Amino acid sequence: MTAAVSAVRKPVTLHRLREMHAQGDKITMLTAYDATFARLVDEAGVDCILVGDSLGMIVQGHSSTIPVTLDEMAYHTRCVARGNRTAWIVGDLPFGSYQESREQALRACVALMQAGAHMVKLEGGGWTAETVHFLTERGVPVCAHLGLTPQSVHALGGYRIQGRDEAGAATLRKHATELAQAGAAMMVLELMPSAVAAQVQADNPGMMTIGIGAGSQTAGQVLVLHDMLNITRGKLPRFVRNFAAEGGSADDAIRRYVAAVKDGSFPDEAVHAY
């Protein structure tokens, strides 16, 4: 998709994303934290931009996402919204902004949506289903997040693959179904066996599952932009593919990512899955 084509692309809506999922068209998502990269990602044809609390590590230099505040998330969401033209924007609710109560979660959603987010994302299952129901009843589109949930990294014992044993897989499937029934329209599945992610999608066919280290059977894929451009320093997870390796500009690399997700060549189960 050229910049000229992207310039006339109709804004991506929740209805359009659901149509894509129903038609088997893979959904593409990348992170962005500022106006410049948001514009680049949008013009390359990415369907969804995630303003992730991963900015705590990528932009701010923290060792986890936990220090990120709601004010900082709103600031970066405003930046992305200014640069974006047509992509669907998902804003992360940071640690401490929704755990206290449903009402606290709603106030946090108001802050992100007034900043330009079209949908909010929150982590975890079980108790979160009630919060998701409360939010969706009030017109807030919600993306859930299961598997490795970075805000719970200390409770999980580090960045570990989730759902490897039968009990863990059953819990993930149970939580996913509860969140879908509560009204979550989308769900990020992070760092889990591809077979478990495939089961989650099969259990909830209307749910748009977005995988990151969860195999190829999800409805779409997401990566951290800096990772797939090979900007991030240090060892990257095996589920990351360096789309800048073939040369060209960052724009070229993002377009290769979009094409690879759409045609099913990324992720490769033999290379990027667990």
Side-chain angles (χ1 to χ4, degrees):
M1 181 181 292
T2 66
V5 172
S6 180
V8 298
R9 177 172 74 162
K10 293 182 179 179
V12 178
T13 63
L14 187 56
H15 177 70
R16 175 58 187 143
L17 290 169
R18 284 174 167 149
E19 283 185 336
M20 291 170 59
H21 177 44
Q23 295 164 2
D25 184 5
K26 293 287 188 179
I27 296 167
T28 57
M29 181 185 289
L30 283 174
T31 62
Y33 315 112
D34 60 43
T36 299
F37 271 123
R39 185 66 177 268
L40 194 66
V41 166
D42 176 42
E43 290 184 347
V46 173
D47 301 309
C48 305
I49 295 174
L50 172 61
V51 188
D53 60 1
S54 51
L55 67 86
M57 303 167 78
I58 299 298
V59 177
Q60 298 176 338
H62 295 298
S63 61
S64 75
T65 65
I66 294 172
V68 179
T69 68
L70 180 60
D71 285 345
E72 289 168 342
M73 288 305 308
Y75 167 78
H76 285 277
T77 300
R78 284 193 294 271
C79 293
V80 166
R82 293 187 194 110
N84 179 56
R85 296 294 180 272
T86 63
W88 178 257
I89 299 176
V90 181
D92 253 341
L93 292 176
F95 180 71
S97 69
Y98 60 95
Q99 286 89 347
E100 181 180 326
S101 67
R102 302 175 305 176
E103 290 76 16
Q104 182 204 30
L106 179 59
R107 289 193 295 271
C109 291
V110 169
L112 292 190
M113 295 185 74
Q114 288 182 340
H118 304 123
M119 170 180 267
V120 299
K121 182 171 77 64
L122 54 78
E123 294 183 4
W127 67 272
T128 55
E130 182 182 351
T131 300
V132 169
H133 180 67
F134 182 83
L135 295 175
T136 55
E137 274 198 325
R138 286 155 178 78
V140 178
V142 175
C143 175
H145 185 157
L146 292 178
L148 173 66
T149 47
Q151 291 175 15
S152 304
V153 63
H154 298 312
L156 296 173
Y159 297 96
R160 306 159 63 94
I161 301 169
Q162 303 298 302
R164 274 190 151 168
D165 60 16
E166 186 175 339
T171 297
L172 287 174
R173 293 177 67 182
K174 176 177 180 291
H175 286 171
T177 297
E178 290 171 348
L179 288 162
Q181 292 174 345
M186 186 178 284
M187 184 179 298
V188 170
L189 301 178
E190 181 169 0
L191 207 62
M192 66 179 66
S194 56
V196 176
Q199 289 173 328
V200 169
Q201 182 63 86
D203 291 343
N204 307 281
M207 170 71 67
M208 294 177 282
T209 56
I210 308 296
I212 177 167
S216 60
Q217 299 306 305
T218 52
Q221 296 293 324
V222 61
L223 284 176
V224 171
L225 179 66
H226 294 63
D227 290 352
M228 56 81 67
L229 291 177
N230 200 35
I231 297 172
T232 307
R233 289 297 170 256
K235 185 178 180 181
L236 295 175
R238 64 177 286 180
F239 59 75
V240 175
R241 173 176 157 187
N242 176 12
F243 284 89
E246 296 176 33
S249 64
D251 181 73
D252 294 330
I254 296 169
R255 293 176 193 279
R256 284 193 289 267
Y257 167 77
V258 172
V261 173
K262 294 290 187 184
D263 68 21
S265 59
F266 177 79
D268 183 337
E269 288 284 338
V271 178
H272 307 112
Y274 299 91

